[in-house]
Amino acid sequence: MKHVDEFRDPASVLECAREIGAIVTRPWTLMEVCGGQTHAIVKHGLDELLPSQVTLIHGPGCPVCVTDVAILDQAHAIAARPEVVFCTFGDMLRVPGTSTDLYQVKASGGDVRVVYSPLDALDIAAAEPAREVVFFAIGFETTAPANAMSVYLARQRGLKNFSMLVSQVLVPPAIEAIMASPRSRVQGFLAAGHVCAIMGTREYEPIAAKHRVPIVATGFEPLDIMQGVLMCVRQLEAGSHRVENQYARVVREEGNAGAQALMRQVFAVRDANWRGIGIIDASGLGLSAEYRCFDALDRFGTTLASRQDDGVCISGLIMQGLEKPAACPAFGKACTPEMPLGATMVSSEGACAAYYRYRR
Amino acid sequence: MSEPREFQPVCPAPARSQRVSMAHGGGGRLMHDLVRDVFAAAFACSADHDAAVVEIPAGRIASTIDGYVVRPMFFPGGDIGSLAVHGTLNDLAMCGARPVSLAAAFIIEEGTSIDVLHRIARSMAMAAQRAGAVISTGDTKVVERGHGDGVYITTSGVGRCEHDRDIHPRSIREGDVLLVSGDVGRHGIAVMSARENLSFESAIVSDSQCLWPAVSSLLEAGVDVHCLRDLTRGGLATALVEWAQATGLEIELDEAAVRVDPAVQGACELLGLDPFYVANEGRMVVAVPAAAADAALAALRRTPEASGSVVAGRVLAGRPGQVSLRTRIGTLRNLPMLSGAQLPRIC
């Protein structure tokens, strides 16, 4: 398949790994930000191909993992309401909140439907005007434009029975938070290519300059990741800390201006609570004043007591790159994909779930 | 065997009613008409008695039963009727058994169109006829609207084992070679794209088919078949994990050897699915001793059902109960059983 096969070509991947081995002289610790990259690294065993000096640690870039338990609890309460059709992407179905998940809500009679696009939820709202259709808007900057578009179109189409439960988060504040931690070991970043496709690469320049770390916008195929590591190591060895773009076939420096404009119109930046990490200032998006009338929390939200993750779980440390999954005493024992204790085990792209699934 | 013609029911459709009502389940004339005109007519079997008596020569008999629910009931490459026949025929074939006779039970939701039942029954009759089997008996029940999803079908079947092999996971040995009978993942993606109205550049057609001709070819060629497993829900990966766990041996699968149709691969990339876990309804994995691999491959490839067969893995002793995937780039990783269904990813 074009645009996939050439980036999975074994010879090119191995050649790139050899090149990294040839230029590395010291130990370096890099963080891949996105859960999709973590998944690809573990799925293809890419870290096995790297020289021992290069350590990859896994970042907080799995939107499912970092969704706040309090938001999940609201989602489960709203989805259980008899008048509601609750539309969600498939991988939110089994993410546990305090006491249940969407699979269980559905089994108990909740009308929970998996959609492939937020625009499908709009069509449901138009087709079933007597029902209240709620879309669970989860994700990073990658999903924000389509989610913004659905609210924008809902207003244009006068769909009063459509609303959105918003839990959008932003990557640069998370990177900033990781670098601001005195315990951080991260010396270079592979930035999430698809986030950069929307937002461009310029917003990383202040972070690279302030913390003196190279940041390379990187794709998701094996060769993308190897090239991202190579570019990062090359900078580290040369003592430079620029923003570079490995994923040039998709990412432009300025990003997607149309998508950004729509996001600015529909959403407003707010603080967000990241599961396993805590509150990060200005790291999330909520509906702007203009679109607030589509906020499902305003329409259906109630006060709920949410339980935070179990004390044994170290997912917060894992997402900040301070620990690896195997360091957790609960990993693979008390904590499995069937019974996750914390954020990084709940989604297939969480670091713990990826290790549990693929590691031999 | 020549391609069978579509079976023409004795009593022409439509029957008196357009749709199934609760009265069709009441045991009266409407029910008798439905059974006679739709099912007994299509299957060319009698509705006069409580059970069918089938002649089977002495020897070992394979017996199986399976329930079928699929939405939508009609999808590219098949329908719930052909699926219900192929699935049960394949379960028999995995014991090396020549299919002889099937029984079919239908749970029909009130409001289902009689025409739909005709289409399903004809499709079942054709699928059975192609495999040289008969549908000899059956049952219908009607449930209220909202208490079913159109039609649910359960089929049971019996087949003759015309060999004395022990085709079973317990016969799998260290050193065995694994063959996969064609590309994987088409059925699951075909049904999903029909259900969700996903359109891809090229139509993806289910692989639903009867595997008996391919199994028969293996047995006729004298291949020392250790085990057969048709790939259904959970796909190739799950079948291999089941074998690894049943035998306490390690299975190594070669990622590059397994064929995936480019359209299926594209759909999986788009949806965040792994084709090794996507459902199939006309593919199997075959375990044979290494010395028999070439003969097995040749015998499989002689049949249209398994013309795309490949050698895709082997049985080792290293990691008991585990499956390892040799990736395209040469690394090794675990291939586990998934905890539930695969879920499309957010991004």
Side-chain angles (χ1 to χ4, degrees), chain B residues 2 7 10 51 71 86 100 122 154 179 202 217 245 286 295 321 323 330:
Chain B
S2 64
F7 191 84
V10 179
R71 192 159 48 89
H86 290 153
V100 175
R122 275 182 231 147
T154 299
L179 300 95
S202 52
S217 175
Q245 290 178 350
V286 179
V323 179

Side-chain angles (χ1 to χ4, degrees), chain B residues 205-277:
Chain B
V205 176
S206 168
D207 54 27
S208 176
Q209 61 170 348
C210 174
L211 288 165
W212 167 245
V215 173
S216 176
S217 175
L218 278 174
L219 296 172
E220 280 170 20
V223 173
D224 180 14
V225 178
H226 282 178
C227 198
L228 302 163
R229 176 67 49 97
D230 59 334
L231 310 178
T232 54
R233 280 170 302 180
L236 174 62
T238 303
L240 295 181
V241 175
E242 286 168 358
W243 274 7
Q245 290 178 350
T247 58
L249 295 165
E250 177 183 3
I251 288 174
E252 186 178 307
L253 181 69
D254 181 2
E255 183 179 26
V258 181
R259 295 183 185 181
V260 181
D261 180 90
V264 171
Q265 182 72 46
C268 286
E269 296 288 343
L270 205 63
L271 297 167
L273 304 176
D274 183 338
F276 287 2
Y277 292 91

Side-chain angles (χ1 to χ4, degrees), chain A residues 17 96 150 152 169 177 187 190 225 253 261 335 354:
Chain A
S150 68
Y152 176 85
V169 282
Q187 294 164 299
L190 307 186
I225 290 166
E253 189 184 344
C335 182

Side-chain angles (χ1 to χ4, degrees), chain B residues 183-191 204-207 261 264 279-280 283:
Chain B
D183 65 325
V184 299
R186 272 204 278 125
H187 176 72
I189 298 295
V191 170
I204 297 169
V205 176
S206 168
D207 54 27
D261 180 90
V264 171
N280 308 268
R283 296 287 180 251

Side-chain angles (χ1 to χ4, degrees), chain A residues 1 8 10 13 43-46 48-49 64 89-91 93 103 116 138 143 338 349 357-360, chain B residues 192 196 250 265-266 269 271 274 277 319 324 328-329 331-334 336 339 343-347:
Chain A
M1 194 184 343
R8 291 182 188 170
V13 172
K43 180 175 178 184
H44 297 285
L46 300 180
E48 292 173 34
L49 301 176
V64 178
F89 292 129
D91 47 0
L93 284 180
Y103 261 138
Y116 295 86
I138 292 288
T143 59
E338 288 82 10
E349 297 197 359
R357 177 167 169 180
Y358 294 127
R359 278 285 190 255
R360 295 173 82 239
Chain B
M192 183 189 257
E196 309 293 348
E250 177 183 3
Q265 182 72 46
E269 296 288 343
L271 297 167
D274 183 338
Y277 292 91
R319 302 164 61 235
S324 300
R328 276 171 206 282
I329 56 175
T331 53
L332 274 173
R333 71 164 165 89
N334 195 38
S339 61
L343 298 170
R345 280 207 314 265
I346 284 179
C347 63

